Amino acid sequence: MLERIGHMLVRKANQEEHRPVFDEAGDIPQHIAVIMDGNGRWAKKRNLARIVGHRSGMQTVKEIVKAADGIGVKTMTMYAFSTENWKRPRDEVDYLMKLPQEFLSTELEELNERNVRVRMLGNSDRLPSHTIEAMNIAEERTRQNTGLQLNFALNYGGRTEIVKAVTELARQVQAGELKPEEIDEALLAQHLYTRDLPDPDLLIRTSGEIRLSNFMLWQMAYTELWFTDVLWPDFTKEHFFEAIAEYQGRARRYGAV
Ligand code: FPP
């Protein structure tokens, strides 16, 4: 399906038509955030349990992470579990909490060999110990890696993250270590989970929902947003490249003209 003409990757729909997918020599988004939505609907359409959709979604994570690494994306942040997802049925929550372990048990070795650094963004307080342990092991093993930064947002909430940052700064003010007028955007950003990571250039959300759902609210102030109706388990690297192609066609102005 995909082939290369010069530095362009093209989709070959038939013998006559070559549709540009994206320019490999062009601006590749350095940080891509992904809301992996639609696992439940994917399963329902097939009369399967929702957890089967999540399992299938995990396979998509593998494919997309590989594709991102292959084209030189520096950071990927995958929204795996939000602070609101605790409202789901207990067995679904339990299953979602097992997925990081399952993913890492088969992928960590290869990720490490590919110089990928794995990290968790979120509040570990409510997570089961087996989930924390799996993430800790992955973070420890890959801490020195300088390739793709692969973040899993787990028990993550954008508002909670900002409140945490504000609380930490308030404590410093209370202790006399910081003056209120010294607080600026850069200092607040240092207290977010993403402290040493660049803001996302591109957000991809699957399954036709057009909202941010409390994901990286501070960091996405100038992120380009890209939505698709495709459900996450059906999302392929060709869809991923389409998102990048559209990103490359956009003019980022950051408020300027
Ligand atoms: C949203 O779909 C998806 C989630 C809440 C979970 C996302 C998790 C994965 C894709 C697997 C994570 C993998 C790793 C490696 C941790 P939904 O269930 O809300 O779908 P629906 O809107 O169709 O019900």
Side-chain angles (χ1 to χ4, degrees):
M1 278 278 274
L2 292 177
E3 64 178 48
R4 192 176 300 273
I5 298 180
H7 56 249
M8 296 288 285
L9 207 56
V10 297
R11 170 172 302 144
K12 201 173 169 195
N14 54 44
Q15 289 307 94
E16 292 81 43
E17 188 198 0
H18 286 91
R19 198 152 73 80
V21 177
F22 75 102
D23 181 354
E24 282 188 300
D27 178 14
I28 303 290
Q30 295 293 288
H31 182 174
I32 304 181
V34 188
I35 303 181
M36 311 181 280
D37 201 3
N39 297 344
R41 275 163 285 167
W42 182 92
K44 194 168 178 213
K45 268 173 46 182
R46 290 163 178 76
N47 273 323
L48 297 167
R50 291 177 58 80
I51 60 169
V52 183
H54 295 312
R55 176 156 245 286
S56 182
M58 185 176 72
Q59 301 305 324
T60 306
V61 175
K62 294 181 190 173
E63 177 175 347
I64 299 308
V65 167
K66 216 168 266 180
D69 193 25
I71 61 168
V73 175
K74 296 276 184 289
T75 306
M76 292 288 289
T77 301
M78 320 297 288
Y79 204 5
F81 194 91
S82 76
T83 46
E84 289 70 37
N85 287 152
W86 296 106
K87 297 175 201 149
R88 295 185 175 214
R90 174 75 194 270
D91 59 343
E92 185 175 343
V93 169
D94 287 350
Y95 188 76
L96 285 168
M97 287 298 149
K98 284 190 192 128
L99 280 182
Q101 252 169 302
E102 195 169 329
F103 174 81
L104 292 165
S105 70
T106 61
E107 300 304 297
L108 183 58
E109 198 150 315
E110 194 189 323
L111 291 170
N112 193 32
E113 275 165 19
R114 295 212 318 260
N115 197 23
V116 174
R117 181 172 178 185
V118 178
R119 270 192 273 189
M120 183 193 130
L121 308 182
N123 183 350
S124 55
D125 285 358
R126 248 183 109 176
L127 297 177
S129 54
H130 61 85
T131 312
I132 299 174
E133 198 184 327
M135 290 311 302
N136 282 346
I137 290 170
E139 289 189 350
E140 272 312 311
R141 276 274 295 283
T142 63
R143 189 175 297 280
Q144 308 297 333
N145 292 352
T146 54
L148 176 74
Q149 306 288 299
L150 174 59
N151 306 315
F152 288 102
L154 266 181
N155 193 23
Y156 175 91
R159 288 182 173 180
T160 303
E161 180 183 31
I162 294 168
V163 169
K164 175 189 94 70
V166 169
T167 307
E168 286 171 10
L169 292 172
R171 286 221 175 87
Q172 290 183 15
V173 170
Q174 192 180 36
E177 297 158 6
L178 180 70
K179 296 193 182 83
E181 56 276 19
E182 287 170 340
I183 298 172
D184 59 10
E185 292 182 12
L187 184 65
L188 194 140
Q190 280 305 308
H191 290 262
L192 301 174
Y193 301 126
T194 47
R195 55 183 68 79
D196 55 345
L197 297 169
D199 290 341
D201 299 300
L202 173 65
L203 167 80
I204 294 174
R205 182 174 190 152
T206 57
S207 92
E209 310 294 347
I210 316 284
R211 56 177 171 265
L212 295 181
S213 299
N214 202 14
F215 191 38
M216 304 188 93
L217 297 180
W218 174 279
Q219 297 88 339
M220 291 217 275
Y222 285 101
T223 300
E224 294 295 327
L225 311 179
W226 189 84
F227 301 96
T228 175
D229 287 341
V230 175
L231 305 176
W232 179 250
D234 290 331
F235 191 77
T236 62
K237 64 177 189 299
E238 283 80 10
H239 298 118
F240 182 64
F241 294 158
E242 254 172 53
I244 294 175
E246 191 169 320
Y247 168 86
Q248 290 183 331
R250 294 192 191 172
R252 301 186 75 192
R253 289 193 290 274
Y254 300 95
V257 288

mmCIF file of all heavy atoms in Angstrom, residues 66-104:
data_model
loop_
_atom_site.group_PDB
_atom_site.id
_atom_site.type_symbol
_atom_site.label_atom_id
_atom_site.label_comp_id
_atom_site.label_asym_id
_atom_site.label_seq_id
_atom_site.Cartn_x
_atom_site.Cartn_y
_atom_site.Cartn_z
ATOM 1 N N LYS A 66 5.613 1.937 17.287
ATOM 2 C CA LYS A 66 6.662 1.528 16.348
ATOM 3 C C LYS A 66 6.734 2.499 15.168
ATOM 4 O O LYS A 66 7.812 2.930 14.757
ATOM 5 C CB LYS A 66 6.361 0.108 15.852
ATOM 6 C CG LYS A 66 7.605 -0.719 15.643
ATOM 7 C CD LYS A 66 7.271 -2.180 15.434
ATOM 8 C CE LYS A 66 7.323 -2.963 16.741
ATOM 9 N NZ LYS A 66 7.008 -4.369 16.614
ATOM 10 N N ALA A 67 5.571 2.856 14.646
ATOM 11 C CA ALA A 67 5.528 3.765 13.489
ATOM 12 C C ALA A 67 6.099 5.133 13.873
ATOM 13 O O ALA A 67 6.873 5.732 13.116
ATOM 14 C CB ALA A 67 4.093 3.912 12.990
ATOM 15 N N ALA A 68 5.727 5.624 15.070
ATOM 16 C CA ALA A 68 6.211 6.936 15.518
ATOM 17 C C ALA A 68 7.727 6.921 15.659
ATOM 18 O O ALA A 68 8.424 7.835 15.201
ATOM 19 C CB ALA A 68 5.551 7.296 16.853
ATOM 20 N N ASP A 69 8.234 5.865 16.271
ATOM 21 C CA ASP A 69 9.677 5.733 16.460
ATOM 22 C C ASP A 69 10.378 5.691 15.097
ATOM 23 O O ASP A 69 11.402 6.349 14.893
ATOM 24 C CB ASP A 69 9.938 4.439 17.249
ATOM 25 C CG ASP A 69 11.357 4.379 17.772
ATOM 26 O OD1 ASP A 69 11.962 5.444 17.957
ATOM 27 O OD2 ASP A 69 11.856 3.260 17.992
ATOM 28 N N GLY A 70 9.767 4.980 14.176
ATOM 29 C CA GLY A 70 10.354 4.799 12.842
ATOM 30 C C GLY A 70 10.501 6.093 12.055
ATOM 31 O O GLY A 70 11.396 6.213 11.226
ATOM 32 N N ILE A 71 9.639 7.070 12.316
ATOM 33 C CA ILE A 71 9.723 8.312 11.530
ATOM 34 C C ILE A 71 10.347 9.463 12.327
ATOM 35 O O ILE A 71 10.372 10.590 11.872
ATOM 36 C CB ILE A 71 8.341 8.739 10.981
ATOM 37 C CG1 ILE A 71 7.362 9.016 12.120
ATOM 38 C CG2 ILE A 71 7.801 7.686 10.014
ATOM 39 C CD1 ILE A 71 6.090 9.715 11.663
ATOM 40 N N GLY A 72 10.831 9.157 13.529
ATOM 41 C CA GLY A 72 11.603 10.166 14.265
ATOM 42 C C GLY A 72 10.797 11.066 15.190
ATOM 43 O O GLY A 72 11.280 12.124 15.588
ATOM 44 N N VAL A 73 9.572 10.642 15.560
ATOM 45 C CA VAL A 73 8.831 11.403 16.582
ATOM 46 C C VAL A 73 9.608 11.262 17.894
ATOM 47 O O VAL A 73 10.110 10.186 18.208
ATOM 48 C CB VAL A 73 7.387 10.856 16.743
ATOM 49 C CG1 VAL A 73 6.652 11.542 17.872
ATOM 50 C CG2 VAL A 73 6.617 11.001 15.435
ATOM 51 N N LYS A 74 9.728 12.348 18.645
ATOM 52 C CA LYS A 74 10.566 12.304 19.861
ATOM 53 C C LYS A 74 9.784 11.892 21.110
ATOM 54 O O LYS A 74 10.323 11.284 22.012
ATOM 55 C CB LYS A 74 11.189 13.689 20.119
ATOM 56 C CG LYS A 74 12.137 14.151 19.035
ATOM 57 C CD LYS A 74 13.523 13.571 19.283
ATOM 58 C CE LYS A 74 14.547 14.065 18.297
ATOM 59 N NZ LYS A 74 14.350 13.513 16.949
ATOM 60 N N THR A 75 8.501 12.273 21.164
ATOM 61 C CA THR A 75 7.703 11.990 22.363
ATOM 62 C C THR A 75 6.286 11.580 21.967
ATOM 63 O O THR A 75 5.669 12.237 21.115
ATOM 64 C CB THR A 75 7.622 13.253 23.271
ATOM 65 O OG1 THR A 75 8.936 13.714 23.545
ATOM 66 C CG2 THR A 75 6.907 12.966 24.567
ATOM 67 N N MET A 76 5.796 10.513 22.583
ATOM 68 C CA MET A 76 4.406 10.094 22.399
ATOM 69 C C MET A 76 3.770 10.018 23.789
ATOM 70 O O MET A 76 4.339 9.409 24.697
ATOM 71 C CB MET A 76 4.326 8.693 21.778
ATOM 72 C CG MET A 76 4.798 8.582 20.360
ATOM 73 S SD MET A 76 3.670 9.348 19.168
ATOM 74 C CE MET A 76 2.272 8.239 19.154
ATOM 75 N N THR A 77 2.596 10.607 23.942
ATOM 76 C CA THR A 77 1.887 10.486 25.224
ATOM 77 C C THR A 77 0.519 9.865 24.976
ATOM 78 O O THR A 77 -0.316 10.429 24.265
ATOM 79 C CB THR A 77 1.758 11.863 25.915
ATOM 80 O OG1 THR A 77 3.072 12.389 26.120
ATOM 81 C CG2 THR A 77 1.068 11.740 27.266
ATOM 82 N N MET A 78 0.329 8.680 25.527
ATOM 83 C CA MET A 78 -0.872 7.887 25.282
ATOM 84 C C MET A 78 -1.788 7.961 26.517
ATOM 85 O O MET A 78 -1.359 7.634 27.630
ATOM 86 C CB MET A 78 -0.506 6.409 25.026
ATOM 87 C CG MET A 78 0.735 6.170 24.169
ATOM 88 S SD MET A 78 0.612 6.800 22.483
ATOM 89 C CE MET A 78 -0.532 5.657 21.741
ATOM 90 N N TYR A 79 -3.046 8.374 26.284
ATOM 91 C CA TYR A 79 -4.007 8.506 27.394
ATOM 92 C C TYR A 79 -4.605 7.122 27.668
ATOM 93 O O TYR A 79 -5.506 6.675 26.967
ATOM 94 C CB TYR A 79 -5.102 9.479 26.951
ATOM 95 C CG TYR A 79 -5.864 10.194 28.050
ATOM 96 C CD1 TYR A 79 -5.536 10.079 29.391
ATOM 97 C CD2 TYR A 79 -6.913 11.046 27.711
ATOM 98 C CE1 TYR A 79 -6.241 10.778 30.364
ATOM 99 C CE2 TYR A 79 -7.624 11.751 28.679
ATOM 100 C CZ TYR A 79 -7.281 11.608 30.004
ATOM 101 O OH TYR A 79 -7.976 12.300 30.967
ATOM 102 N N ALA A 80 -4.079 6.444 28.674
ATOM 103 C CA ALA A 80 -4.488 5.061 28.925
ATOM 104 C C ALA A 80 -5.590 4.945 29.976
ATOM 105 O O ALA A 80 -6.368 3.991 29.968
ATOM 106 C CB ALA A 80 -3.278 4.239 29.355
ATOM 107 N N PHE A 81 -5.642 5.897 30.927
ATOM 108 C CA PHE A 81 -6.663 5.823 31.975
ATOM 109 C C PHE A 81 -6.789 7.198 32.625
ATOM 110 O O PHE A 81 -5.815 7.749 33.132
ATOM 111 C CB PHE A 81 -6.252 4.790 33.036
ATOM 112 C CG PHE A 81 -7.362 4.401 33.971
ATOM 113 C CD1 PHE A 81 -8.189 3.318 33.680
ATOM 114 C CD2 PHE A 81 -7.603 5.111 35.143
ATOM 115 C CE1 PHE A 81 -9.223 2.959 34.535
ATOM 116 C CE2 PHE A 81 -8.630 4.766 36.006
ATOM 117 C CZ PHE A 81 -9.447 3.681 35.703
ATOM 118 N N SER A 82 -7.998 7.745 32.606
ATOM 119 C CA SER A 82 -8.190 9.086 33.159
ATOM 120 C C SER A 82 -8.679 9.007 34.606
ATOM 121 O O SER A 82 -9.146 7.946 35.057
ATOM 122 C CB SER A 82 -9.217 9.857 32.322
ATOM 123 O OG SER A 82 -10.513 9.400 32.624
ATOM 124 N N THR A 83 -8.610 10.147 35.293
ATOM 125 C CA THR A 83 -9.107 10.187 36.678
ATOM 126 C C THR A 83 -10.618 9.923 36.712
ATOM 127 O O THR A 83 -11.163 9.582 37.755
ATOM 128 C CB THR A 83 -8.802 11.557 37.336
ATOM 129 O OG1 THR A 83 -9.149 12.595 36.413
ATOM 130 C CG2 THR A 83 -7.341 11.698 37.693
ATOM 131 N N GLU A 84 -11.280 10.075 35.567
ATOM 132 C CA GLU A 84 -12.736 9.842 35.492
ATOM 133 C C GLU A 84 -13.057 8.364 35.182
ATOM 134 O O GLU A 84 -14.182 7.912 35.375
ATOM 135 C CB GLU A 84 -13.377 10.727 34.415
ATOM 136 C CG GLU A 84 -13.423 12.216 34.769
ATOM 137 C CD GLU A 84 -12.055 12.903 34.779
ATOM 138 O OE1 GLU A 84 -11.207 12.571 33.923
ATOM 139 O OE2 GLU A 84 -11.822 13.753 35.663
ATOM 140 N N ASN A 85 -12.066 7.616 34.672
ATOM 141 C CA ASN A 85 -12.330 6.230 34.272
ATOM 142 C C ASN A 85 -12.619 5.293 35.453
ATOM 143 O O ASN A 85 -13.077 4.159 35.256
ATOM 144 C CB ASN A 85 -11.167 5.662 33.436
ATOM 145 C CG ASN A 85 -11.103 6.228 32.028
ATOM 146 O OD1 ASN A 85 -10.039 6.304 31.416
ATOM 147 N ND2 ASN A 85 -12.250 6.638 31.480
ATOM 148 N N TRP A 86 -12.391 5.765 36.694
ATOM 149 C CA TRP A 86 -12.721 4.927 37.859
ATOM 150 C C TRP A 86 -14.225 4.673 37.948
ATOM 151 O O TRP A 86 -14.670 3.756 38.639
ATOM 152 C CB TRP A 86 -12.262 5.605 39.165
ATOM 153 C CG TRP A 86 -10.772 5.760 39.254
ATOM 154 C CD1 TRP A 86 -10.077 6.917 39.116
ATOM 155 C CD2 TRP A 86 -9.794 4.736 39.487
ATOM 156 N NE1 TRP A 86 -8.727 6.683 39.244
ATOM 157 C CE2 TRP A 86 -8.525 5.349 39.482
ATOM 158 C CE3 TRP A 86 -9.859 3.349 39.703
ATOM 159 C CZ2 TRP A 86 -7.341 4.638 39.673
ATOM 160 C CZ3 TRP A 86 -8.676 2.647 39.903
ATOM 161 C CH2 TRP A 86 -7.443 3.289 39.886
ATOM 162 N N LYS A 87 -15.016 5.510 37.228
ATOM 163 C CA LYS A 87 -16.481 5.332 37.284
ATOM 164 C C LYS A 87 -16.941 4.128 36.463
ATOM 165 O O LYS A 87 -18.128 3.819 36.424
ATOM 166 C CB LYS A 87 -17.169 6.585 36.723
ATOM 167 C CG LYS A 87 -16.909 7.843 37.516
ATOM 168 C CD LYS A 87 -17.521 9.058 36.808
ATOM 169 C CE LYS A 87 -16.884 10.359 37.248
ATOM 170 N NZ LYS A 87 -16.883 11.356 36.183
ATOM 171 N N ARG A 88 -16.047 3.475 35.754
ATOM 172 C CA ARG A 88 -16.438 2.310 34.923
ATOM 173 C C ARG A 88 -16.650 1.081 35.793
ATOM 174 O O ARG A 88 -16.213 1.043 36.953
ATOM 175 C CB ARG A 88 -15.336 2.045 33.904
ATOM 176 C CG ARG A 88 -15.228 3.190 32.938
ATOM 177 C CD ARG A 88 -14.230 2.922 31.845
ATOM 178 N NE ARG A 88 -14.309 4.030 30.909
ATOM 179 C CZ ARG A 88 -14.136 3.937 29.604
ATOM 180 N NH1 ARG A 88 -13.866 2.780 29.064
ATOM 181 N NH2 ARG A 88 -14.236 4.999 28.839
ATOM 182 N N PRO A 89 -17.322 0.045 35.230
ATOM 183 C CA PRO A 89 -17.536 -1.172 36.020
ATOM 184 C C PRO A 89 -16.211 -1.735 36.545
ATOM 185 O O PRO A 89 -15.185 -1.636 35.870
ATOM 186 C CB PRO A 89 -18.164 -2.152 35.018
ATOM 187 C CG PRO A 89 -18.691 -1.299 33.918
ATOM 188 C CD PRO A 89 -17.883 -0.053 33.887
ATOM 189 N N ARG A 90 -16.281 -2.315 37.725
ATOM 190 C CA ARG A 90 -15.089 -2.791 38.430
ATOM 191 C C ARG A 90 -14.231 -3.725 37.569
ATOM 192 O O ARG A 90 -13.003 -3.606 37.521
ATOM 193 C CB ARG A 90 -15.564 -3.505 39.707
ATOM 194 C CG ARG A 90 -14.527 -4.206 40.517
ATOM 195 C CD ARG A 90 -13.689 -3.191 41.299
ATOM 196 N NE ARG A 90 -12.482 -3.822 41.812
ATOM 197 C CZ ARG A 90 -12.408 -4.403 42.991
ATOM 198 N NH1 ARG A 90 -13.456 -4.422 43.789
ATOM 199 N NH2 ARG A 90 -11.279 -4.955 43.400
ATOM 200 N N ASP A 91 -14.892 -4.665 36.848
ATOM 201 C CA ASP A 91 -14.077 -5.632 36.093
ATOM 202 C C ASP A 91 -13.342 -4.958 34.936
ATOM 203 O O ASP A 91 -12.219 -5.337 34.584
ATOM 204 C CB ASP A 91 -14.915 -6.838 35.621
ATOM 205 C CG ASP A 91 -16.071 -6.421 34.728
ATOM 206 O OD1 ASP A 91 -16.438 -5.220 34.724
ATOM 207 O OD2 ASP A 91 -16.618 -7.289 34.026
ATOM 208 N N GLU A 92 -13.968 -3.914 34.381
ATOM 209 C CA GLU A 92 -13.289 -3.190 33.291
ATOM 210 C C GLU A 92 -12.087 -2.408 33.841
ATOM 211 O O GLU A 92 -10.999 -2.418 33.245
ATOM 212 C CB GLU A 92 -14.269 -2.239 32.586
ATOM 213 C CG GLU A 92 -13.623 -1.570 31.383
ATOM 214 C CD GLU A 92 -14.583 -0.709 30.564
ATOM 215 O OE1 GLU A 92 -15.817 -0.869 30.709
ATOM 216 O OE2 GLU A 92 -14.083 0.109 29.776
ATOM 217 N N VAL A 93 -12.286 -1.766 35.002
ATOM 218 C CA VAL A 93 -11.169 -1.023 35.626
ATOM 219 C C VAL A 93 -10.033 -1.999 35.945
ATOM 220 O O VAL A 93 -8.863 -1.741 35.626
ATOM 221 C CB VAL A 93 -11.643 -0.294 36.911
ATOM 222 C CG1 VAL A 93 -10.459 0.252 37.699
ATOM 223 C CG2 VAL A 93 -12.604 0.841 36.558
ATOM 224 N N ASP A 94 -10.390 -3.152 36.523
ATOM 225 C CA ASP A 94 -9.360 -4.142 36.868
ATOM 226 C C ASP A 94 -8.577 -4.552 35.632
ATOM 227 O O ASP A 94 -7.352 -4.687 35.666
ATOM 228 C CB ASP A 94 -9.995 -5.398 37.498
ATOM 229 C CG ASP A 94 -10.481 -5.117 38.914
ATOM 230 O OD1 ASP A 94 -10.150 -4.039 39.447
ATOM 231 O OD2 ASP A 94 -11.222 -5.971 39.464
ATOM 232 N N TYR A 95 -9.302 -4.737 34.547
ATOM 233 C CA TYR A 95 -8.634 -5.162 33.309
ATOM 234 C C TYR A 95 -7.702 -4.070 32.787
ATOM 235 O O TYR A 95 -6.552 -4.330 32.412
ATOM 236 C CB TYR A 95 -9.667 -5.549 32.246
ATOM 237 C CG TYR A 95 -9.010 -6.170 31.042
ATOM 238 C CD1 TYR A 95 -8.544 -7.480 31.087
ATOM 239 C CD2 TYR A 95 -8.802 -5.436 29.881
ATOM 240 C CE1 TYR A 95 -7.886 -8.048 30.006
ATOM 241 C CE2 TYR A 95 -8.154 -5.978 28.796
ATOM 242 C CZ TYR A 95 -7.703 -7.289 28.862
ATOM 243 O OH TYR A 95 -7.055 -7.839 27.794
ATOM 244 N N LEU A 96 -8.208 -2.840 32.781
ATOM 245 C CA LEU A 96 -7.385 -1.721 32.285
ATOM 246 C C LEU A 96 -6.111 -1.571 33.122
ATOM 247 O O LEU A 96 -5.054 -1.209 32.596
ATOM 248 C CB LEU A 96 -8.193 -0.416 32.290
ATOM 249 C CG LEU A 96 -9.239 -0.293 31.168
ATOM 250 C CD1 LEU A 96 -10.180 0.883 31.431
ATOM 251 C CD2 LEU A 96 -8.559 -0.141 29.805
ATOM 252 N N MET A 97 -6.226 -1.874 34.422
ATOM 253 C CA MET A 97 -5.058 -1.761 35.302
ATOM 254 C C MET A 97 -4.027 -2.854 35.039
ATOM 255 O O MET A 97 -2.877 -2.742 35.426
ATOM 256 C CB MET A 97 -5.504 -1.815 36.778
ATOM 257 C CG MET A 97 -6.196 -0.553 37.220
ATOM 258 S SD MET A 97 -5.059 0.828 37.073
ATOM 259 C CE MET A 97 -6.174 2.162 36.709
ATOM 260 N N LYS A 98 -4.498 -3.939 34.396
ATOM 261 C CA LYS A 98 -3.553 -5.030 34.090
ATOM 262 C C LYS A 98 -2.833 -4.793 32.764
ATOM 263 O O LYS A 98 -1.803 -5.408 32.482
ATOM 264 C CB LYS A 98 -4.311 -6.369 34.006
ATOM 265 C CG LYS A 98 -4.695 -6.913 35.341
ATOM 266 C CD LYS A 98 -5.223 -8.334 35.214
ATOM 267 C CE LYS A 98 -5.881 -8.769 36.499
ATOM 268 N NZ LYS A 98 -7.234 -9.292 36.297
ATOM 269 N N LEU A 99 -3.386 -3.915 31.927
ATOM 270 C CA LEU A 99 -2.829 -3.748 30.588
ATOM 271 C C LEU A 99 -1.383 -3.236 30.545
ATOM 272 O O LEU A 99 -0.591 -3.739 29.743
ATOM 273 C CB LEU A 99 -3.727 -2.844 29.731
ATOM 274 C CG LEU A 99 -4.951 -3.545 29.139
ATOM 275 C CD1 LEU A 99 -5.745 -2.576 28.280
ATOM 276 C CD2 LEU A 99 -4.557 -4.766 28.323
ATOM 277 N N PRO A 100 -1.014 -2.265 31.394
ATOM 278 C CA PRO A 100 0.389 -1.829 31.337
ATOM 279 C C PRO A 100 1.354 -2.988 31.561
ATOM 280 O O PRO A 100 2.338 -3.154 30.830
ATOM 281 C CB PRO A 100 0.484 -0.799 32.463
ATOM 282 C CG PRO A 100 -0.900 -0.284 32.633
ATOM 283 C CD PRO A 100 -1.789 -1.459 32.346
ATOM 284 N N GLN A 101 1.034 -3.830 32.565
ATOM 285 C CA GLN A 101 1.868 -4.995 32.863
ATOM 286 C C GLN A 101 1.964 -5.912 31.655
ATOM 287 O O GLN A 101 3.027 -6.389 31.291
ATOM 288 C CB GLN A 101 1.135 -5.823 33.915
ATOM 289 C CG GLN A 101 1.680 -5.824 35.270
ATOM 290 C CD GLN A 101 0.639 -6.479 36.163
ATOM 291 O OE1 GLN A 101 -0.509 -6.010 36.247
ATOM 292 N NE2 GLN A 101 1.038 -7.536 36.827
ATOM 293 N N GLU A 102 0.789 -6.170 31.083
ATOM 294 C CA GLU A 102 0.735 -7.106 29.967
ATOM 295 C C GLU A 102 1.531 -6.555 28.776
ATOM 296 O O GLU A 102 2.314 -7.265 28.156
ATOM 297 C CB GLU A 102 -0.732 -7.317 29.571
ATOM 298 C CG GLU A 102 -0.869 -8.518 28.687
ATOM 299 C CD GLU A 102 -2.328 -8.914 28.493
ATOM 300 O OE1 GLU A 102 -3.137 -8.690 29.417
ATOM 301 O OE2 GLU A 102 -2.610 -9.435 27.407
ATOM 302 N N PHE A 103 1.320 -5.274 28.522
ATOM 303 C CA PHE A 103 2.029 -4.625 27.413
ATOM 304 C C PHE A 103 3.535 -4.684 27.651
ATOM 305 O O PHE A 103 4.312 -5.074 26.783
ATOM 306 C CB PHE A 103 1.543 -3.172 27.316
ATOM 307 C CG PHE A 103 2.288 -2.336 26.323
ATOM 308 C CD1 PHE A 103 1.984 -2.402 24.965
ATOM 309 C CD2 PHE A 103 3.297 -1.468 26.727
ATOM 310 C CE1 PHE A 103 2.669 -1.615 24.044
ATOM 311 C CE2 PHE A 103 3.979 -0.681 25.814
ATOM 312 C CZ PHE A 103 3.665 -0.758 24.469
ATOM 313 N N LEU A 104 3.944 -4.318 28.860
ATOM 314 C CA LEU A 104 5.377 -4.223 29.139
ATOM 315 C C LEU A 104 6.027 -5.598 29.200
ATOM 316 O O LEU A 104 7.198 -5.750 28.843
ATOM 317 C CB LEU A 104 5.602 -3.453 30.442
ATOM 318 C CG LEU A 104 5.232 -1.956 30.333
ATOM 319 C CD1 LEU A 104 5.120 -1.306 31.699
ATOM 320 C CD2 LEU A 104 6.246 -1.206 29.463
#
